[in-house]
Amino acid sequence: MAITTRQLWRKLSNSNNLFLIAGPCVIESESLCLKVARTLSKACDQLGITYVFKASYDKANRTSGKSRRGPGLKEGLRILKAVREKVGVPILTDVHDVAQSTSAAEVVDIIQIPAFLCRQTDLITAAVKTSAIVNLKKGQFLSPQEMSQVVLKAESAGGKMMLVTERGTTFGYNNLVSDMRSIPVMKQSGYPVVFDATHSVQMPGGRGDKSGGNGEFAPVLARAAVAAGVNGLFIETHPTPEKAWSDGPNMVPLNKMRRLLQQLLKIHKALK
């Protein structure tokens, strides 16, 4: 059985623990979600890493209007609830409008504010007024210092259980760059900082009607982020990234996740 949201928050806010938020970019099927969740849950249990399963029921910000978006709110939440109950892991998903926040919070432990929407006051307010933890992703268009205003906005609406996530900054056209100085800067917020290793190697719109990516560099940045003192990692993964509905080029293959987690844990322990 999954731990309660309050119990999860205590684990995530403990600086001695390393945690992982990981799963496929978008919900493709219940069987895929269960496979990924079970594989990562087993690995994390053995390594002593707190694990949160993530997947989106709707990718509302795809490059092309023809791209697959996912099963939608109702069916997506049904699948996420099934993963929570059958695998016993906490769940994260993102929301895109105010109305979705309440429905999502009835199922998931963490509501994520997408990077593109991190300055949407009404969306942040609705999310922090639920009982869920809220993950605030830094927009590609913001400096790490500017995230302090996003946090203050969330706090003014009553937010107390929050994560702040770095996912790279726009660097010219179709490229992102990650500045590891952002981790200590964002830690000044007083909340756990997460590094999104796979979106940081994304190439937005790099394939014309879809995003590209350099997934081979995701483990490199993940190791650097842990060395820089990050509290948790956000990694998108899939058994066959080349067949993934979304963000396949920047994913870490599922069969390589355990080895990567072992490396990250060694770095984390060395810092302690």
Side-chain angles (χ1 to χ4, degrees), residues 30-251:
E30 182 174 335
S31 60
L32 171 68
C33 290
L34 288 171
K35 176 181 176 65
V36 173
R38 284 170 174 150
T39 299
L40 294 178
S41 177
K42 180 179 180 181
C44 288
D45 282 348
Q46 293 173 345
L47 295 171
I49 296 172
T50 299
Y51 173 55
V52 178
F53 175 81
K54 68 82 45 187
S56 299
Y57 52 78
D58 180 18
K59 298 300 293 183
N61 57 357
R62 300 302 303 275
T63 301
S64 170
K66 298 179 181 179
S67 299
R68 285 173 159 172
R69 291 179 51 169
L73 179 66
K74 184 177 180 179
E75 175 63 6
L77 290 180
R78 183 197 68 77
I79 291 174
L80 292 175
K81 183 177 181 181
V83 172
R84 194 179 198 280
E85 293 176 347
K86 293 179 180 180
V87 186
V89 292
I91 305 291
L92 174 148
T93 198
D94 43 358
V95 296
H96 298 90
D97 63 50
V98 171
Q100 294 177 358
S101 297
T102 302
S103 297
E106 293 175 354
V107 173
V108 308
D109 301 272
I110 306 177
I111 291 175
Q112 181 167 280
I113 304 298
F116 282 124
L117 301 178
C118 70
R119 295 181 66 174
Q120 298 299 310
T121 303
D122 290 345
L123 182 59
I124 292 172
T125 298
V128 299
K129 287 187 178 299
T130 70
S131 59
I133 299 165
V134 176
N135 183 29
L136 302 166
K137 296 195 78 173
K138 181 179 79 63
Q140 302 92 316
F141 45 86
L142 292 183
S143 67
Q145 290 84 357
E146 289 174 279
M147 278 301 287
S148 64
Q149 296 303 314
V150 177
V151 170
L152 287 172
K153 184 183 293 186
E155 287 181 331
S156 68
K160 293 182 174 64
M161 299 188 297
M162 295 181 292
L163 307 174
V164 187
T165 295
E166 167 64 279
R167 55 82 30 94
T169 300
T170 299
F171 188 67
Y173 295 122
N174 308 122
N175 201 12
L176 301 170
V177 64
S178 292
D179 182 354
M180 292 301 156
R181 293 176 297 180
S182 66
I183 293 171
V185 169
M186 290 165 64
K187 274 195 164 185
Q188 293 175 13
S189 68
Y191 296 96
V193 174
V194 182
F195 181 72
D196 183 342
T198 44
H199 283 106
S200 290
V201 297
Q202 186 185 61
M203 299 179 71
R207 293 187 174 185
D209 64 344
K210 60 177 68 72
S211 293
N214 294 298
E216 67 270 25
F217 295 121
V220 178
L221 293 182
R223 292 191 293 266
V226 174
V230 81
N231 301 96
L233 278 303
F234 181 109
I235 300 175
E236 290 190 333
T237 183
H238 195 284
T240 52
E242 67 277 7
K243 296 180 180 179
W245 288 6
S246 176
D247 279 346
N250 43 272
M251 286 182 172

